[in-house]
Amino acid sequence: YRVEQDHDWLTTRRSDELRTLVHDVLADADMRVSTLDTGVTAGYDGKAFIRSVDGLREMRFWGFTQIRYTYNHRKSEPGVDSDRGGFSIQRTRFFVDGNIGDISFRFRSTAGDNGTFRLDQAYAQMTVFEEAKLRVGQFQLPLFHDEWVAAQNQLAVDSSVVNSTFGQGQSQGVMLHRQWDRVRIWGAYSDGLRTSNTAALSGQNADYAFTGRVEYRFGEVPWSAFDDYTSFPGSSFGGFLGLAAHYESGDELIATTGTELAYFTGSVGLEGDGWNSYVMGVLAYDDLNTPNETNTLDFGFLVQGGFFITPTVELFGRFDWTQGGDDRVDDDPFRTITAGFNWYIAPNSHRAKITANLLYFFD
């Protein structure tokens, strides 16, 4: 009788557990149906996304990290270490892209090797007439093509010394962009070069700053081909020519020691079946804001190219020259030569690759 009673108790307990399990499964199913009823879907198609079924509202999440080893040898004074090396997390970057109806947006944040995140970009964009796009917020001005090639899409480990010296950084303002089949143009009004994350009344902004750029495309490749420098084997021939100008004025310009700054840049890019080449030059006018009212013209240029020796291995080289104007305290040239290779672990893609290069500084 005791055994039979215990068996009945066990059967009842198992029935209760099974009933609870079925209830939990049905509740979970109801929740999923409820989520579907709201018209929301999520998934991964190369980027993680949350999207309304009608496609009018969407958010995408993605990013990348660059792990780097650097070794440096230099001439040094006695007692100073001439050889140094080590690992660093050079760049970790996160993106949130999306749209609400016809308005698209982007948030971009980056941490360097010190691990501190900063806001890079935060802007909204919409079509205002015909195919013209209006962008408002914090973004990169259309001045240097090299700045518009994303860090993960560069040919070498990093962008050139010329770009590091003259680079525009991020700016706050408004920009209008229009693209046709063979021509595209930009025009922007902003706080000036390198004015990211500055308050409106901080005194660090230009009184006014204007930037304009025009590009012409030729050949058989689309505009998207120039989002990087690499041209994978089997690609068609094509190229672009770009010209840009920038002028800003103010009492406390971040990007200059004077009260007026003007940039002029030009670039030409060619791509073919497994090869690429690129030439860029910049001329910068700075009034220096000195008592004797001197001004200077600084300049820089670079030449680079690459070609594939196997379907996944690309060799490349680059030479760049930066020089200050005659009125600079130090107007000597600074020249760099770079040589290296890319191994595309994910073929025909920048999603996973190993890059190595050697830089030699002549000066």
Side-chain angles (χ1 to χ4, degrees):
Y1 174 79
R2 178 181 295 274
V3 172
E4 183 178 353
Q5 188 179 45
D6 289 347
H7 180 269
D8 291 343
W9 171 84
L10 186 60
T11 301
T12 301
R13 180 178 178 182
R14 286 177 175 172
S15 298
D16 292 341
E17 290 177 348
L18 181 60
R19 188 178 298 107
T20 300
L21 176 62
V22 171
H23 178 271
D24 290 344
V25 170
L26 291 176
D28 180 69
D30 288 341
M31 181 186 68
R32 293 175 184 273
V33 171
S34 177
T35 302
L36 290 175
D37 288 343
T38 64
V40 176
T41 182
Y44 181 82
D45 59 359
K47 299 175 182 177
F49 67 86
I50 300 174
R51 179 190 304 142
S52 63
V53 175
D54 58 14
L56 295 179
R57 297 173 299 279
E58 179 183 51
M59 293 184 69
R60 289 179 170 270
F61 309 90
W62 61 288
F64 67 88
T65 189
Q66 293 176 316
I67 304 168
R68 180 175 301 180
Y69 179 81
T70 304
Y71 170 77
N72 182 58
H73 171 78
R74 64 176 183 174
K75 294 180 180 180
S76 60
E77 299 296 327
V80 178
D81 189 5
S82 60
D83 295 276
R84 291 184 178 180
F87 288 93
S88 63
I89 307 300
Q90 185 65 21
R91 190 178 288 110
T92 300
R93 183 165 290 170
F94 292 101
F95 296 81
V96 178
D97 295 336
N99 67 274
I100 304 174
D102 295 331
I103 301 175
S104 62
F105 59 84
R106 162 167 286 187
F107 302 102
R108 191 186 95 179
S109 181
T110 302
D113 53 12
N114 63 359
T116 302
F117 276 92
R118 69 178 187 274
L119 177 66
D120 294 331
Q121 297 179 350
Y123 62 80
Q125 180 171 283
M126 63 180 297
T127 302
V128 289
F129 60 88
E130 295 184 353
E131 298 297 324
K133 307 289 186 181
L134 180 67
R135 180 176 297 183
V136 180
Q138 183 165 294
F139 50 84
Q140 286 177 314
L141 294 172
L143 187 56
F144 287 90
H145 176 79
D146 202 39
E147 286 279 305
W148 281 41
V149 176
Q152 71 271 26
N153 294 341
Q154 289 284 335
L155 189 64
V157 167
D158 221 332
S159 57
S160 67
V161 173
V162 171
N163 189 71
S164 298
T165 302
F166 295 96
Q168 66 212 38
Q170 307 290 333
S171 302
Q172 298 170 335
V174 57
M175 180 172 68
L176 193 65
H177 168 54
R178 178 73 161 89
Q179 178 175 301
W180 293 270
D181 181 45
R182 294 290 179 179
V183 177
R184 55 184 183 179
I185 59 174
W186 295 263
Y189 176 75
S190 70
D191 286 339
L193 304 184
R194 306 174 192 170
T195 55
S196 60
N197 303 321
T198 56
L201 305 181
S202 65
Q204 296 179 299
N205 302 321
D207 293 339
Y208 51 87
F210 299 96
T211 311
R213 183 176 184 86
V214 59
E215 287 185 351
Y216 171 73
R217 178 183 69 87
F218 54 90
E220 301 176 7
V221 297
W223 283 115
S224 59
F226 309 118
D227 292 341
D228 65 3
Y229 293 115
T230 299
S231 182
F232 293 104
S235 300
S236 301
F237 171 77
F240 79 94
L241 169 65
L243 297 172
H246 172 87
Y247 177 79
E248 63 182 76
S249 178
D251 294 330
E252 298 181 46
L253 304 183
I254 292 178
T256 176
T257 56
T259 58
E260 289 186 311
L261 179 69
Y263 271 28
F264 304 93
T265 71
S267 52
V268 179
L270 298 174
E271 297 188 358
D273 183 4
W275 62 269
N276 68 82
S277 62
Y278 177 73
V279 179
M280 187 274 284
V282 54
L283 182 67
Y285 166 84
D286 186 345
D287 72 348
L288 296 181
N289 196 27
T290 56
N292 55 357
E293 297 185 354
T294 58
N295 55 66
T296 186
L297 286 175
D298 309 319
F299 73 89
F301 72 89
L302 69 86
V303 179
Q304 71 179 30
F307 62 93
F308 281 81
I309 58 173
T310 75
T312 59
V313 177
E314 175 188 39
L315 301 182
F316 62 82
R318 178 171 67 198
F319 174 76
D320 60 74
W321 182 311
T322 302
Q323 187 160 355
D326 294 338
D327 291 306
R328 293 287 186 188
V329 175
D330 184 359
D331 60 357
D332 293 332
F334 192 86
R335 298 162 294 177
T336 309
I337 191 168
T338 306
F341 71 88
N342 287 303
W343 173 29
Y344 296 91
I345 301 173
N348 299 323
S349 170
H350 295 277
R351 290 184 180 275
K353 67 179 180 180
I354 294 176
T355 304
N357 60 219
L358 174 68
L359 290 85
Y360 180 76
F361 300 103
F362 293 93
D363 310 296

